[in-house]
Amino acid sequence: MQPTSPRQGSPYPGLMMDFPLTVQHVLRRMEGIWGGKKVFTLIDPDTGACAERDFRDVVARAGRLAHALQRLGVRPGDRVGSLAWNNAQHLEVYLAVMSMGAVLHTMNLRLHGDQLAYTVDHAEDVVVLVESSLSGQFAEVLPGLESVREVIVIDDFSNPAPELPSALDYETLLEREDPNFEWPHLDERSAAALCYTSGTTGDPKGVLYSHRSIILHALAMSGADVYGITSRDRVLALVPLFHAMGWGLPFICGLVGSDIVMPGRHLKPGPLARLIADQRATWSAGVPTLWLDLLQYMDEAADAGRSHDLSSLDTILCGGTAVAESLIEAYKTRFDADVIEGWGMTEIFPGATVDRGSMSAARTDGGTRRKTAGRVSPLYELRLVDVDGTVMPNDGVAVGALEVRGPAVASGYFKSDAATAAAIHDGWLRTGDVGTVDSTGQLRITDRAKDVIKSGGEWISSQDLEVELLAHPAVREAAVIGVADQRWGERPLAFVVLGAPATESDLKTFLMERVARWWVPEHFEIVDEILRTTTGKFDKKILRAQFDERH
Amino acid sequence: MQPTSPRQGSPYPGLMMDFPLTVQHVLRRMEGIWGGKKVFTLIDPDTGACAERDFRDVVARAGRLAHALQRLGVRPGDRVGSLAWNNAQHLEVYLAVMSMGAVLHTMNLRLHGDQLAYTVDHAEDVVVLVESSLSGQFAEVLPGLESVREVIVIDDFSNPAPELPSALDYETLLEREDPNFEWPHLDERSAAALCYTSGTTGDPKGVLYSHRSIILHALAMSGADVYGITSRDRVLALVPLFHAMGWGLPFICGLVGSDIVMPGRHLKPGPLARLIADQRATWSAGVPTLWLDLLQYMDEAADAGRSHDLSSLDTILCGGTAVAESLIEAYKTRFDADVIEGWGMTEIFPGATVDRGSMSAARTDGGTRRKTAGRVSPLYELRLVDVDGTVMPNDGVAVGALEVRGPAVASGYFKSDAATAAAIHDGWLRTGDVGTVDSTGQLRITDRAKDVIKSGGEWISSQDLEVELLAHPAVREAAVIGVADQRWGERPLAFVVLGAPATESDLKTFLMERVARWWVPEHFEIVDEILRTTTGKFDKKILRAQFDERH
């Protein structure tokens, strides 16, 4: 399994072509058989106007960009940064940089300035492509960056970039280049992209994806029971391209030939509702909050006598945090759309578990349905270990630390031996998630390891409590943390955002019927908002700090 | 692209796990998350009784078999032969031999004795596993085989094997072994299986599949638009396991978790109809003849007042020869089953083109629907070349020789440099098929290169003529060959099997309206049967010989 293990098995290599798994195969499919497929980019949230470009043109422009980057001195292995929302140009940057043998660092625009600068310094980006609406943000960090030789501004149709006066213009660069680029032969194990985790503690850590891992992930996800995207789908890519390769959607859509709808930076529910309705999007992926906001917007719009036809929606993949059963029900009832859950990480791509297939079957099994994050996907292997690292059974009962392995799983972090050593255990990656796996490979995440509440020698799952609270009709959002307790060690404390009136007592009574009595928090804090991390997860570090300050 | 090309691109390898793509990953999924899935093997065609075994048990028995083979001296790289129909034991042999690092030679039981012996000698099989019903056939060739040290007889519940008195008994061997086998670490490029082409000319040629190619093929086929098999499917594996890895079904079903129904040697339409009805098979694959026979049987059964409920059938994958439009219509109308076409070869696996997805959409486009063999699948790349080897456009019009490349495409033949040299052209495999590819990757096979009819300096497609003849309601089967003609060089001659009365003149009139006038054959031979090769294709070599003898 490990790189150091000796070659075993048959001394005969199979007589099959040594055809590398690289992004260039996707590029050739997009240029060839899927040349007529479209990328729509929302450019005016008020009118819903989209820029439209077919795959053939996207690839031709990627060819021009590769020439331009080469002319700017970008060589194989060089890191090239992108700071952009989801649009056709970002897709061009993906294809060009990776296919020419350079490494695309997808910069997380939600990082604070110093963290953003840290990632560019650490990656040693030589060229950075910045969307014009983000040029102000980038101009603030640019003066301190040593590796960046050139900045290219991508005009997103809305915003000039006076903050970056010496930057090159993307369209001007492309105009003077030839669309035909002779893509070099690439080793499938060579690096294609670099994405930094946005952990709430310590410096961001870099995950260096190989071409092979990107293609294998895309293949595994294209399964009928996994993402299930087909050439008749029109995929709305809400999940940012800077999060774990946009959950692989650029490559999956390029392989299977589905149209792509890009929302640009317009992620408010109004523009999204119109975009879905106008472009007849069938498949989408994003964090649950977006879908919750969209639902609320649809209610308000209906009250105001406006409506959008979202009936084209067929499948919505959610990940990042637990999904409320009420959200799943609402999308099924109102739009006949299936909300499916998945689990992944920057280090392992999204979709390491996902289960489009048995979703409907499982739904009839009400009580357990919402608790699964899906079944382990092809090419992924999961195991649970206890605190000593001993492997535990996949019986759906034993709760353990989750470890994963496979060809699309990180073996370490870029230029960080210490983080690598801490992450790898016996050839498996420690995910930092805690949960159960049943005998059919269904994963149930009960917590992040650091969020588990240790009370009276037992574990309480903060996530299970959140899911139960979300089942209450008045609860819009819920986050549970552990707080110090003299008698029990820790006790749960619930932060709740209400959508309708409810008292602490109501919530306690509600929980009493649903979880063990000793799990029910003594204290609730009714708040207007719960802060989230840049990836849409509750920022429990801040919640804990807020609590500590007051007590 | 080629093994000899220097490593290029990023000097940084991606930091992803070096996790090998081997059959062991399928085995672990079958043992773990899909342990409860079933293999049904038909053992009594009269009653429909099936032997039933779950995947967990299949893997445990594969572990026992691996111990037994190891005890018999089988070492990594050794070739182990199997001579069997489709049953659970053959699946166990697949998993055990490949996962232990040996190479499974799936012997083609339809080969003549001397050809069968040739393949065993050429493969240097050290152990052969023979199904008891085939023991007589094997006993005839065994005395001349030098490499075979042991023969193991698999009891198929019906037939002792007195012809092989010194053979070992499969069940006895398994009984005394431990089910837990420590599968060795395997290199993904090591050989896993060996399958000989059953070409109508020359000696059979060996295709040596690597673990990598088997897994990549299975992943590509699991796509929603490709085979589209899910964990809710129950797959009837009609295509023999000795034909191109059973079209990959053992691995695909093991990856995605579908039940498998094995017909044993009972391929007559009566037992098959009952098997489909009893086991509620949803997905199947096989040559068109089987499906034609089944349809005819259903008619006769209905006339006789019997019926079978085939409504569970959802998808039928056909390949090998062109499929008549009437067959597609009949299965859709009568059983609401989609018959989809694919194209492949032993050298490239099946499904290099297949298009489950846009089938329904294309059906509305009547005239062209039946002429496509599907769209090029992920991981495959196709091109057309003319007689000089110059690449031709994929415009749906240009007819050329088809070449293919990809990680599941043979780079040569086992121990045959001459055949290898003849097969590979500039890094692509010459398929020997002639056709068109349109701009969306839809393949239309017009002929085998050797079957094209050169008439008056132009090409006539024998296959197109066959498809048009099959559209005539009275025509049950049709095969067209080219015969020497003084004036035109060659002219088409049609062999036709009728299912209802029709005259040569009827058929000519019918064709006149459907193809160019000069394509219409001057002569027809109405025959009772058209001989087929062991893979179910018309044996045009014999048809030509029959014609030559008489003229």
Side-chain angles (χ1 to χ4, degrees), chain A residues 1-3 5-21 24-25 28-29 32-35 56 76-79 100-103 124 184-191 206-210 212-213 215-216 219-220 222-225 228-232 255-256 347-349 355-358 361 375-381 404-415 424 427-429 438-441, chain B residues 1-3 5-21 24-25 28-29 32-35 56 76-79 100-103 124 184-191 206-210 212-213 215-216 219-220 222-225 228-232 255-256 347-349 355-358 361 375-381 404-415 424 427-429 438-441:
Chain A
M1 204 65 59
Q2 295 313 297
S5 65
R7 180 180 176 136
Q8 293 190 42
S10 169
Y12 294 93
L15 279 165
M16 305 304 282
M17 287 186 182
D18 192 11
F19 184 97
L21 307 175
Q24 291 173 0
H25 177 65
R28 286 191 293 266
R29 281 180 80 84
I33 68 174
W34 302 129
R56 195 172 289 112
D78 283 350
R79 270 77 69 206
M100 73 187 288
V103 180
E124 301 171 77
H185 290 181
L186 299 177
D187 186 305
E188 69 183 33
R189 289 172 196 268
S190 64
V207 175
L208 193 62
Y209 300 113
S210 62
R212 169 182 164 96
S213 66
I215 297 302
L216 289 176
L219 277 172
S222 71
D225 269 345
I229 296 174
T230 75
S231 64
R232 275 95 51 229
L255 263 189
V256 311
E347 290 87 340
I348 67 177
F349 289 89
D355 192 2
R356 186 175 194 260
S358 53
R375 179 178 279 122
V376 56
S377 299
L379 297 187
Y380 287 90
E381 300 186 5
V404 60
R405 68 177 183 185
V409 173
S411 63
Y413 294 102
F414 186 52
K415 298 197 300 186
I424 302 298
W428 295 69
L429 180 83
D438 78 9
S439 63
T440 71
Chain B
M1 203 64 57
Q2 294 314 297
S5 65
R7 178 177 176 137
Q8 293 190 42
S10 168
Y12 295 93
L15 280 164
M16 305 304 282
M17 287 186 182
D18 193 11
F19 184 97
L21 307 175
Q24 291 173 0
H25 176 66
R28 286 191 294 265
R29 282 179 79 84
I33 69 173
W34 303 129
R56 196 171 289 111
D78 282 349
R79 269 78 69 206
M100 74 187 287
V103 180
E124 300 170 75
H185 290 180
L186 299 177
D187 186 305
E188 70 182 34
R189 289 172 197 269
S190 64
V207 176
L208 193 64
Y209 300 113
S210 62
R212 170 183 164 97
S213 67
I215 297 302
L216 289 176
L219 277 172
S222 71
D225 269 344
I229 296 174
T230 76
S231 64
R232 275 97 49 230
L255 263 188
V256 311
E347 291 87 339
I348 67 176
F349 290 89
D355 193 3
R356 185 176 195 257
S358 53
R375 178 178 280 123
V376 57
S377 298
L379 297 187
Y380 287 91
E381 300 186 5
V404 61
R405 69 177 183 185
V409 173
S411 61
Y413 294 101
F414 186 52
K415 299 197 299 186
I424 302 298
W428 296 68
L429 180 83
D438 77 8
S439 62
T440 71

Side-chain angles (χ1 to χ4, degrees), chain A residues 360-435:
Chain A
S360 339
R363 173 158 295 131
T364 60
D365 185 18
T368 58
R369 158 69 188 84
R370 65 188 156 177
K371 285 180 182 164
T372 169
R375 179 178 279 122
V376 56
S377 299
L379 297 187
Y380 287 90
E381 300 186 5
L382 297 185
R383 71 176 189 183
L384 298 174
V385 297
D386 67 14
V387 284
D388 303 323
T390 307
V391 177
M392 303 171 75
N394 289 353
D395 59 7
V397 176
V399 176
L402 202 56
E403 298 187 341
V404 60
R405 68 177 183 185
V409 173
S411 63
Y413 294 102
F414 186 52
K415 298 197 300 186
S416 180
D417 291 343
T420 297
I424 302 298
H425 170 222
D426 186 28
W428 295 69
L429 180 83
R430 301 179 204 269
T431 67
D433 278 327
V434 168

Side-chain angles (χ1 to χ4, degrees), chain A residues 326-378:
Chain A
S326 57
L327 186 74
I328 296 171
E329 290 298 332
Y331 275 88
K332 190 67 191 174
T333 309
R334 294 170 59 174
F335 313 116
D336 195 24
D338 287 320
V339 174
I340 59 176
E341 289 168 83
W343 169 77
M345 303 164 63
T346 303
E347 290 87 340
I348 67 177
F349 289 89
T353 69
V354 61
D355 192 2
R356 186 175 194 260
S358 53
M359 183 184 52
S360 339
R363 173 158 295 131
T364 60
D365 185 18
T368 58
R369 158 69 188 84
R370 65 188 156 177
K371 285 180 182 164
T372 169
R375 179 178 279 122
V376 56
S377 299

Side-chain angles (χ1 to χ4, degrees), chain A residues 471-493:
Chain A
H472 190 287
V475 174
R476 190 164 143 72
E477 295 192 295
V480 176
I481 61 169
V483 295
D485 182 273
Q486 283 202 323
R487 182 180 167 92
W488 300 108
E490 278 190 332
R491 287 300 299 156
L493 168 72

